[in-house]
């Protein structure tokens, strides 16, 4: 009876979750999102079709050689697209990291008994040591590629045992295997999705985080051979930067392409750990497919397709979990120390990695409880010291530089010596309240958790994790139980602290291991449900592939030909035009400081820079509070900024304020164009142009006939006239239109946060206009008639007053119509 009830609940749960998934897809219209551009979807379908034909032919002819042949072709094309130096740099760093990590582990195992997990853990351990070393070396002018090359070569030359292990493992990995049809299909699915990520990683960098930080650090060190840790220049300069130290290591040896390929290699490390551990209780085919299912998660493309640090700290945290389980099975305390060393390195890469400490600490205590009292206490103390030594450097550096270990955050708990700067960092907007609907929201309303579109977290976790919880039994593999516990605790702690879905990424690999435990249980006890769950997973895999670019905007066009310099230039011009302008300034005005308007893409500039963002707080505040173009001009002169990179007026690129727009048009001489941005030189004097008199016609809010004084902002809103609205809450701010005619129709937005505007015609007050409404009313129109035809002046002022029911004093302009 118990078995029948359990079986029925499992079926009802899975069917109910599928019904909820169908509801989420339909109700929230996930397929109506702009997931792909038409060009991108066409390219992806063509790539998939070509791959399917090649894979089918290989499966019928020489299936055992397909993985090896695919790997060889990937290597050759990578060398052509990224350059052989980049391939060499990544290979050297990985090889040296393994040789260094193997020295510490020193298992003494024969090559035949050295597992895939052992290889990856040794690699991550050595990489953590290099990360620690670069974090110290960054403070001194010793960071040259020759120095790095020499240091990386030492472990390779000295640790001959590591080389023997590798040479013994290569034939085992490359040896052709006889695969069943399910295993062939699973391996084909995994290779396809990994190839998709690989092609994206061969593109030049266009990610906003990378161009504002993660590529800035390596580029700055390549120029000055040290990092300044100056928070007045970069507010984030003392944050945990383990990922940036790794990227620096690769960048100095092989350039930007090497750093991006290294990020892909970290994904392969996660995939290898997943497969090796699942293989201990699943068939080869199912283990391969579950790794493919993990890799098809859209968030994986976000983390891999740009220089984000998520793959690094996710691999380190996952490696720590695997190390603890290895210690449980073998009793070698070096694996316990490795776990906490990796966790410390993860914390030195991202503050959020500390959320792993709670579940891993609990698991460690559970494992240590079965050991004798004396050594377990010594083991625990040693493991804690390993964690502190590798985690502490960025927090100590931050404390020494600013007085706060976590500058610029947690200012109430940790006050700093730069409170004004820290206040400029701000806080992200809150996400939805956490509750029992959170898993649904994460899957089908993912946009609520910042940065991404709906569906970006993958659909398998919504459908399969609850089923795994229902099937949970004590007889499950201990690693599966530990993985489920770790993923749940980490995800909850992360979302409580900050509701950014990208920070949940490290929970995906442990969650996949937990799902693997459920499949292992189903395979033994419930064959029909097991087969139905596999069929469901295959459908989810296809769904994930369609939503692959939903986690970002950078790869919606997929790729054309990363080896083509023309295609790379077109890609940069479309997605990061500032990079072309940075290269222009480096060529024509080397060393000249540059101001970046509406952009943080300062990577690659061989000079000082300031941006209109929280990254350079003091400059940003001066610009933000400027009420006239002349104030922009004075600010740039005071900062010694004679050149700018900014959006081109009257293009799709948004210019935030009307003052900025006037400054760019009146006070800057363009020198070079790239996409929607331009590079310009600040003129020797700045004088705003007088707008022309407007004849009869319609004038949208950005039209140059409309003159704005004071601080006005511009935003994009689809229901507005031509998609833009200009608004202000600054008392005294005004817009003016000189026109010829008898009437002007003022088109604006009524809303819950609107205030009261004063209307003047030919300098005479026409009274006030209350723009408040409990609901949003787009394109509301109010006419104002002149006493006679001819030339007149309409002025609309922000009074700073509001209706008692309003939540703000905003006044906006959508358009003006002259008759």
């Amino acid at each position: 009876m118990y078995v029948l009830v359990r079986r029925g609940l499992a079926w009802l749960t899975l069917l109910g979750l599928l019904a909820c998934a169908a509801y989420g897809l339909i109700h929230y219209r996930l397929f109506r999102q702009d997931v792909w551009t038409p060009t991108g979807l066409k390219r992806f379908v063509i790539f998939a079709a070509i791959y399917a034909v090649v894979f089918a032919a290989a499966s019928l002819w020489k299936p055992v050689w397909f993985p090896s042949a695919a790997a060889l072709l990937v290597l050759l094309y990578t060398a052509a697209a990224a350059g052989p130096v980049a391939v060499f740099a990544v290979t050297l760093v990985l090889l040296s990291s393994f040789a260094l990590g193997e020295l510490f582990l020193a298992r003494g195992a024969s090559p035949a008994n050295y597992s895939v997990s052992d290889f990856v853990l040794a690699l991550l351990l050595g990489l953590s040591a290099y990360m620690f070393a670069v974090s110290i070396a960054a403070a001194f002018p010793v960071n040259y590629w020759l120095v790095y090359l020499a240091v990386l070569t030492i472990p390779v030359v000295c640790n001959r045992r590591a080389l023997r292990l590798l040479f013994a493992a290569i034939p085992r990995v490359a040896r052709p295997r006889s695969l069943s049809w399910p295993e062939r299909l699973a391996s084909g699915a995994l290779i396809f999705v990994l190839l998709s990520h690989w092609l994206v990683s061969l593109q030049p960098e266009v990610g906003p985080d990378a161009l504002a930080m993660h590529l800035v650090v390596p580029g700055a060190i390549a120029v000055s051979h040290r990092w300044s840790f100056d928070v007045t220049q970069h507010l984030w300069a003392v944050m945990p930067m383990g990922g940036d130290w790794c990227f620096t290591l690769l960048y100095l040896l092989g350039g930007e392409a090497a750093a991006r390929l290294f990020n892909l290699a970290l994904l392969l490390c996660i995939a290898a750990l997943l497969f090796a551990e699942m293989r201990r209780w699943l068939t080869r085919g199912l283990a391969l497919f579950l790794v493919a299912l993990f890799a098809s998660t859209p968030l994986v493309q976000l983390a891999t397709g740009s220089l984000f640090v998520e793959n690094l700290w996710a691999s380190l945290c996952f490696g720590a979990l695997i190390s603890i389980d290895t210690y449980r099975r073998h009793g070698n305390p070096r694996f316990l120390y490795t776990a906490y060393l990796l966790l410390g390195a993860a914390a030195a890469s991202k503050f959020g990695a500390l959320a792993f400490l709670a579940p891993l600490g609990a698991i460690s205590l559970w494992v240590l409880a079965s050991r004798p009292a004396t050594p377990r206490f010594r083991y625990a103390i040693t493991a804690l010291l390993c964690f502190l030594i590798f985690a502490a450097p960025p927090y100590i550096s931050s404390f020494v530089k600013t007085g706060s270990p976590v500058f610029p955050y947690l200012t109430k708990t940790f006050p700093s010596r730069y409170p004004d700067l820290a206040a400029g960092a701000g806080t992200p907007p809150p996400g939805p309240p956490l509750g029992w609907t959170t898993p649904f929201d994460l899957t089908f309303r993912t946009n609520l958790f910042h940065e991404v579109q709906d569906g970006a977290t993958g659909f398998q976790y919504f459908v399969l994790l609850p089923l795994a919880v229902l099937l949970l039994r004590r007889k499950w593999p201990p690693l599966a139980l530990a993985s489920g516990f770790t993923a749940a605790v980490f995800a909850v702690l992360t979302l409580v602290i900050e509701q950014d879905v990208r920070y949940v990424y490290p929970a995906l690999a442990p969650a996949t291991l937990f799902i693997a435990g459920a499949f292992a249980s189903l395979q033994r006890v419930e064959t029909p449900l097991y087969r139905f769950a596999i069929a469901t997973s295959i459908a989810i895999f296809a769904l994930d592939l369609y939503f692959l670019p939903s986690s970002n905007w950078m790869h919606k066009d997929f790729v054309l030909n990363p080896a083509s310099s023309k295609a790379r230039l077109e890609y940069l011009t479309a997605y990061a035009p500032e990079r072309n302008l940075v290269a222009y300034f480096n060529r024509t005005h080397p060393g000249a400081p540059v101001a970046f308007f509406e952009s943080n893409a300062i990577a690659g500039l061989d000079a000082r820079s300031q941006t209109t963002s929280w990254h350079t707080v003091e400059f940003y505040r001066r610009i933000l509070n400027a009420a006239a173009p002349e104030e922009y001009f004075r600010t740039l002169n005071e900062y010694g900024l004679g050149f700018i990179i900014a959006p081109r007026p009257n293009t799709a690129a948004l210019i935030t304020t009307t003052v900025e727009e006037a400054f760019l048009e009146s006070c800057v001489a363009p020198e070079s164009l790239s996409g929607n941005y331009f590079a310009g030189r600040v003129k020797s004097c700045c004088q705003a142009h007088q707008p022309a008199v407007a004849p009869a016609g319609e004038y949208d809010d950005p039209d140059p006939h409309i003159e704005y004084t004071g601080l006005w902002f511009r935003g994009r809103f689809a229901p507005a006239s031509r998609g833009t609205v200009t608004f202000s809450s600054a008392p005294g701010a005004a817009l003016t239109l000189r026109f010829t005619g008898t009437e002007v129709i003022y088109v604006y937005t009524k809303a819950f946060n609107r205030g009261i505007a004063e209307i003047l015609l030919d300098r005479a007050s026409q009274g006030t206009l209350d723009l408040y409404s409990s609901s949003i009313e787009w394109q509301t129109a109010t006419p104002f008639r002149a006493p006679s035809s001819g030339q007149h002046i309409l002025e609309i002022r922000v009074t700073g007053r509001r209706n008692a029911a309003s939540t703000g004093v905003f006044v906006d302009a959508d358009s003006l119509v002259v008759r």
Side-chain angles (χ1 to χ4, degrees), residues 121 321-337 339 363-364 367-372 375-376 379-380:
L121 291 177
L321 175 62
I322 302 302
S323 294
I324 290 176
D325 185 70
T326 306
Y327 168 63
R328 177 193 62 81
R329 290 186 287 114
H330 298 298
N332 185 342
R334 294 197 179 194
F335 282 100
L336 179 65
Y337 307 151
I363 294 169
S364 301
V367 173
L368 286 170
S370 62
R371 302 291 190 265
R376 75 184 178 201
Y379 294 166

Side-chain angles (χ1 to χ4, degrees), residues 597-598 632 646-662 664-665 678 712-716:
F597 288 83
E598 312 293 348
Y632 271 54
R648 294 167 58 188
N650 303 316
T651 66
L654 182 65
I655 298 175
T656 304
T657 70
T658 57
V659 180
E660 178 183 329
E661 187 175 65
L664 295 177
E665 290 181 345
F678 77 98
W712 291 79
F713 295 89
R714 184 160 294 134
R716 296 194 187 280

Side-chain angles (χ1 to χ4, degrees), residues 538-623:
I538 293 171
I540 290 174
F541 175 75
L543 196 61
D544 281 349
L545 287 180
Y546 176 79
F547 281 90
L548 207 55
S550 65
S551 63
N552 64 89
W553 51 265
M554 299 171 282
H555 310 304
K556 294 184 179 299
D557 280 331
F558 196 48
V559 294
L560 181 59
N561 179 11
S564 165
S565 57
K566 179 182 178 182
R568 293 167 68 87
L569 178 61
E570 290 175 354
Y571 179 68
L572 282 178
T573 303
Y575 288 99
E578 306 96 315
R579 298 204 64 185
N580 297 328
L581 301 175
V582 165
Y584 166 80
F585 277 132
N586 287 339
R587 290 193 310 269
T588 58
H589 305 289
V594 179
F596 287 71
F597 288 83
E598 312 293 348
S599 173
N600 282 321
I602 64 174
L605 182 69
D606 298 338
R608 285 191 302 109
S609 64
Q610 297 285 334
T611 68
T612 54
S613 75
W614 64 268
H615 291 203
T616 52
V617 174
E618 291 179 342
F619 177 78
Y620 179 39
R621 284 176 178 157
R622 291 281 301 274
I623 291 297

